[in-house]
């Protein structure tokens, strides 16, 4: 079923972008609040990847923020799944970050708690599904978001800090989460971390905490 999307481009003289676009008056499933055309394009692309994969998202707002020391809770992005409507904040205009945060939304709506422990056991060094008392890379929920985001990439690259990370195990994890196959052939394995999108000790206080 086609989604109704409203994209609002905010005016910013500092960034030299066009004046604000007034959205239609009818309600929308997904609202994109962007500062630049590039951000709006990233959002449309990411939503298209979820649609191509058959992973339906609930109504939500995607809001791009200017990066600041406290923006997005000192993270690259945040998913506020307890708000109504659900809201995502993005402080880095990075396609993978948005896929990752959208994965939190999809998982919270579609992946049952009864499957959490089995998924955790498929991964390495996972201590809890979502406890803020363990590091980011030891939370099953973050592994799940990385796996789903990876599965939706057009050209997959290795994802660091959440392991195991060879293509077969990533495909198995993606299938267990979604019941589907990734949108690509798997890509190369990785032996050591090469990306640091997030700080290792950040808390996810805006995300629902589920052990």
């Amino acid at each position: 079923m086609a989604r109704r999307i409203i994209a609002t481009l905010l005016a910013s003289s500092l960034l030299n972008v066009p004046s604000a676009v007034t959205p239609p008056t009818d309600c929308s499933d997904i609202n994109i609040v962007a500062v630049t055309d590039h951000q709006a394009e990233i959002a449309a692309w990411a939503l298209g990847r979820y649609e191509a994969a058959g992973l339906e998202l609930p109504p939500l707002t995607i809001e791009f923020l200017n990066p600041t020391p406290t923006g997005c809770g000192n993270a690259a992005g945040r998913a506020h799944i307890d708000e109504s409507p659900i809201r995502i904040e993005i402080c880095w205009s990075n396609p993978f970050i948005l896929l990752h945060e959208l994965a939190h939304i999809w998982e919270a709506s579609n992946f049952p708690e009864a499957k959490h422990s089995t998924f955790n056991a498929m991964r390495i060094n996972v201590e809890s599904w979502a406890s803020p008392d363990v590091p980011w890379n030891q939370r099953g929920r973050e592994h799940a978001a990385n796996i789903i985001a990876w599965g939706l990439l057009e050209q997959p690259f290795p994802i660091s800090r959440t392991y195991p990370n060879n293509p077969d195990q990533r495909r198995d994890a993606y299938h267990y989460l979604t019941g589907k196959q990734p949108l690509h052939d798997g890509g190369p394995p990785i032996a050591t971390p090469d990306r640091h999108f997030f700080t290792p000790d950040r808390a996810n206080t805006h995300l629902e905490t589920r052990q």
Side-chain angles (χ1 to χ4, degrees), residues 75-207:
R78 300 301 285 267
H80 301 262
I81 63 178
D82 291 329
E83 294 187 6
S84 182
I86 296 169
R87 183 168 59 93
I88 289 176
E89 294 176 341
I90 297 294
C91 283
W92 288 10
S93 299
N94 180 296
F96 184 83
I97 298 297
L98 182 51
L99 289 176
H100 176 101
E101 298 304 330
L102 286 169
H104 283 307
I105 305 302
W106 184 88
E107 168 269 310
S109 302
N110 294 277
F111 190 63
E113 187 174 353
K115 288 188 163 186
H116 289 181
S117 60
T118 299
F119 178 80
N120 287 353
M122 297 171 69
R123 310 300 296 161
I124 292 175
N125 200 31
V126 170
E127 299 295 331
S128 167
W129 181 253
S131 172
D133 297 326
V134 302
W136 179 93
N137 61 330
Q138 295 179 19
R139 301 171 193 161
R141 178 173 57 197
E142 301 299 343
H143 282 242
N146 263 2
I147 289 292
I148 291 171
W150 165 84
L152 301 182
L153 292 169
E154 292 180 354
Q155 297 181 346
F157 52 75
I159 307 302
S160 67
R161 298 189 57 213
T162 51
Y163 301 95
N165 227 348
N166 68 64
D168 287 342
Q169 288 169 307
R170 285 183 297 208
R171 277 193 294 264
D172 289 347
Y174 182 89
H175 183 265
Y176 185 75
L177 287 163
T178 67
K180 304 174 185 294
Q181 294 299 320
L183 297 182
H184 50 67
D185 63 3
I190 184 173
T192 58
D194 66 348
R195 287 178 172 82
H196 301 281
F197 289 125
F198 307 97
T199 56
D201 58 350
R202 90 168 203 249
N204 277 344
T205 55
H206 289 278
L207 284 168

Side-chain angles (χ1 to χ4, degrees), residues 41-53:
E41 290 168 1
I42 288 174
W45 173 83
L47 294 171
R49 299 305 287 172
Y50 275 83
E51 183 176 2

Side-chain angles (χ1 to χ4, degrees), residues 36-84:
T36 69
D37 289 320
H38 178 61
Q39 292 172 342
E41 290 168 1
I42 288 174
W45 173 83
L47 294 171
R49 299 305 287 172
Y50 275 83
E51 183 176 2
L55 304 181
E56 185 174 354
L57 294 163
L60 60 92
T61 293
I62 300 170
E63 182 177 4
F64 289 85
L65 304 178
N66 288 324
T68 65
T70 58
C72 300
N74 293 311
R78 300 301 285 267
H80 301 262
I81 63 178
D82 291 329
E83 294 187 6
S84 182

